[in-house]
Amino acid sequence: MVDAMSQTTRRRFLESAAAVGAAPAAVTTAFAPTSKPRKLTDNLWVFEDTCNVYLVKDGANAVLIDFGSGKILDHLASIGVSKVDFVLHTHHHRDQCQGDHKANAKGIPVAVPAHEKHLFADAENFWRNRRVYHLYYVRNDFNTLTRNVRVARTMADYSTFRWRNIDFFVLPTPGHTLGSITLLATVDRRRVAFSGDLVCAPGKIHTLYDTQVNYGGSEGVDLGIFSLRRLGEQRPAVLCPSHGEPMSDASSAIETTANRLTDYYRFQTGGAPSAENKPYGVSPHFVAHYQTNASFYAVISDSGKALFVDYGSASQLHFNNFERATAVTDRIRFVEHSIDELKRNYGLKSVDVVMPSHMHDDHINGFPYLIRQYGTQVWCYENMVDVIENPRGWNLGCILGEPFKVSRSFRHGEKFRWEEFEFEVTHSPGHTEYQMAMFGTIDGNRVAFTGDAFFDAGRKDGVLRHNLIFRNHVENDSHVKSIRNLIQREPALIAPGHGRPYAVTREMLLATEKNVRRQQQFFFDLLPEGMTNFGLDPSWVRLYPYQILTTPGETVRLQVHVQNYKPSPMRMEVAIAAPPEWKIEPDVVKFEVPANSTAQRPVSLAIPKSWSPRSSRFAIAADVVSDGKYLGEITEAVVDMKGSESY
Ligand SMILES: [Zn+2]
Ligand SMILES: [Zn+2]
Ligand SMILES: [Zn+2]
């Protein structure tokens, strides 16, 4: 509803928000809702604005769930509230937060879903970059604020936002938007779910158009069904939607809506939604799941302890949509999957260890969650440790943007025992330099976990499919090394990084070796004589860390890292091209890199305290002379100013 008078007096004005810090000015109109706050239970109120604004109070203090136009601030006295401690948002749509500049102006802190922070704090940057022409990415992120909002806190998935005696549990519930959350809290002794626009009435959702991400897709329907099932497991008593009436029979509302959406999803796509994906038993102690985009494997000991190899996204659809929606300094979103099923049907009691086949995000994005939720240890091949622990250091394909700790690492050829099983870890480059092949015997089968090295393409000649991604660090003999590795160890079953485990024979491996040797010959033929690896590796000269996080007044310590693929020593001279006010020491780094070897040298960049960046993220370059030849700015690094980072 809208004020009748305000329609006639409609005008645009600039609301100055200068009262508190640098709160952004906001363009607004004179419209306002005419409704009054309504009491649901003693300490829970709802106010119908552009969305439902819920107020949870404790004495004279309150938190608000979503904010609409902010008009509720004029009604606080009638509710007996003198101070709003926080505004918590379920998602970034304008109807939820178009009045946030009022919260900023009054100094009320705003907390937002972690994966939508950029659509609040950096909304203006979103608009500079959002393409309208050639529109196939039809996701309704157009419903984003027109001005930046100052964000005080982000709410990470599966974390708890504690306010006084109330814990708001942050459940990821993508569907209506890709970053949506549901906040679960006990208010007046009832378990309440503030579920945003996941469901608006039993069997109904607020819009269908918000559920479409790609041209012709039904992504938000699939994600919404998955989210509703997970929300159901939390057993809320009441659902408080952003649009529609609170639902006091939450479980039946969830069930009805999930079932109806499932029927609709099958009708539109002819397939089953991600919520129906399930792992399957390969043998009594070995469970595989290949519908999870990157496959993951659970070796389950008689004790009930599990060793996972990889643990990525809930489905291909989850991965693809979250990947594209990930902001530059954020990490891909993860929602829990499969573990309940492993407990119910496969005797899993704990996730003891998880090992990455390689360092790619699609294989490891559940690792930080396993560490936090289950106390799982991460073990890996030694060259992955730094990429995992310091992801800002590197510019490689598919890095996960959240660092986490590795508990144990293995050298090439190292054997270890876990529970009643024995394994051998080997280096297996090709798909990426940072990949292992792990061999072990499970239920009498000699299994090789090979990540994304080789896939069964069903070819008559037995040749296994491989892939080639130069950004992943490939050298001319990488694939040859990894197939030789398999030939020497003769596994019977390959557990690949995507798809189901498949039987493999020596003939197939030999045919594959022939094939990758052909690829190697192409590399030699196509690239300048003696320079093959320089033409395959875009980062033979690189700066470490690649993504620098700093602030004025700090001194950044960089390493210039050079990989010399020549059979003779190489003389290097490197100078950093950075803002002129920075003090760079030394101004030219001179060193020699031995033949077929690597070397690194430090350089420090002192940023004056008085210096102010033109942007929160920008690039610097390294100008390079090698063996007396001026090559120019052949490598670079990105600089993030502190405060803009997510991890
Ligand atoms: Zn919405
Ligand atoms: Zn993969
Ligand atoms: Zn990969």
Side-chain angles (χ1 to χ4, degrees):
M1 282 195 290
V2 166
D3 266 20
M5 197 180 77
S6 65
Q7 289 199 37
T8 56
T9 60
R10 185 176 172 202
R11 66 203 156 85
R12 300 186 80 78
F13 63 92
L14 252 176
E15 177 167 314
S16 167
V20 177
V27 174
T28 182
T29 77
F31 290 159
T34 53
S35 58
K36 296 271 181 289
R38 184 155 55 94
K39 189 178 190 171
L40 297 173
T41 58
D42 286 351
N43 293 297
L44 177 60
W45 294 66
V46 60
F47 175 63
E48 196 185 325
D49 197 321
T50 52
C51 69
N52 290 337
V53 176
Y54 293 97
L55 181 147
V56 178
K57 66 186 282 230
D58 180 1
N61 291 63
V63 288
L64 302 174
I65 291 94
D66 290 315
F67 197 53
S69 70
K71 180 69 180 172
I72 192 167
L73 297 182
D74 297 341
H75 295 288
L76 295 177
S78 69
I79 308 173
V81 166
S82 58
K83 183 165 182 283
V84 174
D85 292 338
F86 256 102
V87 171
L88 313 178
H89 281 301
T90 58
H91 64 289
H92 74 93
H93 282 162
R94 280 194 299 268
D95 53 333
Q96 313 294 122
C97 56
Q98 66 179 62
D100 275 13
H101 56 277
K102 290 184 189 164
N104 275 181
K106 290 196 182 310
I108 302 169
V110 173
V112 305
H115 295 293
E116 291 188 347
K117 177 190 169 195
H118 61 298
L119 297 172
F120 290 87
D122 220 4
E124 292 161 35
N125 187 52
F126 163 82
W127 286 112
R128 274 192 291 277
N129 291 286
R130 183 49 160 117
R131 206 170 73 193
V132 177
Y133 288 143
H134 312 295
L135 192 59
Y136 297 93
Y137 190 52
V138 295
R139 171 188 178 199
N140 195 26
D141 51 7
F142 294 104
N143 197 356
T144 292
L145 288 168
T146 58
R147 299 296 181 96
N148 293 346
V149 159
R150 207 169 53 240
V151 170
R153 285 255 299 261
T154 56
M155 293 179 282
D157 293 339
Y158 302 108
S159 70
T160 296
F161 183 95
R162 174 144 256 232
W163 174 72
R164 296 176 158 240
N165 288 321
I166 300 185
D167 282 340
F168 290 89
F169 176 66
V170 181
L171 183 72
T173 48
H176 176 72
T177 72
L178 294 173
S180 284
I181 58 171
T182 290
L183 293 162
L184 287 134
T186 302
V187 184
D188 296 330
R189 292 176 303 284
R190 295 191 310 170
R191 193 84 181 135
V192 180
F194 301 97
S195 50
D197 285 327
L198 185 63
V199 45
C200 71
K204 293 203 180 288
I205 57 172
H206 182 50
T207 63
L208 266 171
Y209 61 77
D210 282 303
T211 62
Q212 190 161 64
V213 177
N214 296 296
Y215 214 66
S218 302
E219 301 84 354
V221 176
D222 180 281
L223 296 169
I225 296 164
F226 196 95
S227 296
L228 284 163
R229 299 290 183 210
R230 299 293 85 76
L231 178 57
E233 289 161 4
Q234 297 287 329
R235 308 221 167 278
V238 186
L239 294 185
C240 287
S242 283
H243 294 273
E245 283 299 307
M247 289 159 260
S248 52
D249 188 352
S251 70
S252 106
I254 290 169
E255 184 72 14
T256 309
T257 311
N259 290 346
R260 191 176 289 171
L261 284 172
T262 301
D263 287 345
Y264 172 75
Y265 187 80
R266 286 183 187 280
F267 167 77
Q268 287 294 359
T269 68
S274 301
E276 294 177 18
N277 291 350
K278 276 189 175 36
Y280 72 99
V282 179
S283 63
H285 297 86
F286 186 29
V287 183
H289 200 340
Y290 69 96
Q291 293 165 310
T292 41
N293 176 30
S295 300
F296 90 91
Y297 300 99
V299 181
I300 302 177
S301 124
D302 286 329
S303 68
K305 286 185 183 175
L307 180 147
F308 281 9
V309 177
D310 295 341
Y311 183 60
S313 294
S315 72
Q316 178 91 49
L317 190 140
H318 280 81
F319 182 80
N320 290 348
N321 288 285
F322 292 152
E323 179 268 310
R324 193 158 177 192
T326 303
V328 286
T329 63
D330 198 7
R331 53 148 293 156
I332 191 170
R333 196 171 204 195
F334 169 80
V335 296
E336 196 202 281
H337 60 87
S338 312
I339 290 177
D340 268 5
E341 179 72 14
L342 291 172
K343 284 184 179 163
R344 244 193 328 269
N345 294 324
Y346 298 94
L348 177 138
K349 293 201 183 102
S350 67
V351 188
D352 189 34
V353 173
V354 63
M355 298 183 68
S357 62
H358 59 301
M359 41 52 81
H360 283 169
D361 50 5
D362 52 331
H363 298 256
I364 67 172
N365 68 338
F367 285 30
Y369 177 80
L370 290 178
I371 295 170
R372 281 193 287 267
Q373 199 71 15
Y374 296 100
T376 307
Q377 287 198 15
V378 177
W379 296 357
C380 70
Y381 178 63
E382 60 183 359
N383 78 353
M384 297 178 211
V385 175
D386 194 66
V387 186
I388 287 171
E389 294 190 341
N390 298 303
R392 281 190 164 267
W394 302 77
N395 181 13
L396 293 163
C398 322
I399 288 180
L400 185 78
E402 180 181 358
F404 53 90
K405 280 281 166 232
V406 172
S407 306
R408 184 174 175 187
S409 66
F410 301 94
R411 295 180 310 277
H412 175 68
E414 188 171 340
K415 297 192 167 100
F416 71 92
R417 195 177 173 84
W418 173 82
E419 298 290 295
E420 63 267 40
F421 303 94
E422 272 189 48
F423 295 101
E424 181 189 4
V425 171
T426 64
H427 184 213
S428 181
H431 170 64
T432 164
E433 175 70 11
Y434 306 91
Q435 179 169 263
M436 72 165 182
M438 183 166 83
F439 300 85
T441 300
I442 308 167
D443 300 324
N445 273 320
R446 182 139 177 84
V447 182
F449 298 92
T450 53
D452 291 352
F454 299 105
F455 301 106
D456 184 12
R459 277 170 61 156
K460 274 208 184 73
D461 59 6
V463 171
L464 300 175
R465 183 171 63 78
H466 71 278
N467 52 37
L468 182 61
I469 301 102
F470 300 108
R471 182 54 71 185
N472 290 353
H473 187 159
V474 187
E475 299 175 19
N476 73 76
D477 58 352
S478 296
H479 293 83
V480 174
K481 274 185 189 161
S482 59
I483 195 72
R484 289 299 317 160
N485 204 22
L486 290 180
I487 292 166
Q488 278 162 23
R489 289 169 178 82
E490 289 203 59
L493 198 64
I494 284 185
H498 298 269
R500 297 166 183 259
Y502 59 90
V504 69
T505 61
R506 188 172 174 80
E507 288 65 43
M508 289 162 80
L509 296 175
L510 290 171
T512 307
E513 182 186 4
K514 217 182 246 174
N515 190 53
V516 294
R517 286 196 187 279
R518 249 194 106 199
Q519 169 178 277
Q520 188 180 27
Q521 191 57 51
F522 272 117
F523 295 157
F524 291 140
D525 292 346
L526 282 165
L527 290 164
E529 196 69 34
M531 296 295 283
T532 313
N533 283 338
F534 290 98
L536 297 174
D537 179 3
S539 301
W540 67 269
V541 188
R542 59 185 167 90
L543 299 178
Y544 180 101
Y546 188 83
Q547 298 189 82
I548 299 156
L549 184 61
T550 189
T551 196
E554 283 190 355
T555 296
V556 174
R557 285 173 217 292
L558 283 181
Q559 294 286 336
V560 179
H561 191 284
V562 177
Q563 184 143 14
N564 177 14
Y565 293 111
K566 289 181 188 174
S568 55
M570 188 160 72
R571 279 180 295 113
M572 296 295 296
E573 293 164 77
V574 178
I576 305 294
E581 299 83 0
W582 295 15
K583 194 169 152 14
I584 299 168
E585 191 61 48
D587 33 321
V588 178
V589 190
K590 289 187 190 170
F591 59 114
E592 193 175 274
V593 189
N596 294 311
S597 184
T598 62
Q600 51 187 323
R601 289 291 183 278
V603 53
S604 72
L605 317 172
I607 307 173
K609 211 169 171 81
S610 59
W611 183 78
S612 59
R614 285 166 56 199
S615 158
S616 63
R617 185 171 166 92
F618 54 94
I620 59 174
D623 215 17
V624 175
V625 175
S626 173
D627 282 341
K629 185 172 167 50
Y630 183 31
L631 302 177
E633 294 179 357
I634 59 168
T635 197
E636 73 293 322
V638 172
V639 184
D640 279 316
M641 301 318 289
K642 280 184 185 167
S644 62
E645 79 279 16
S646 296
Y647 290 90

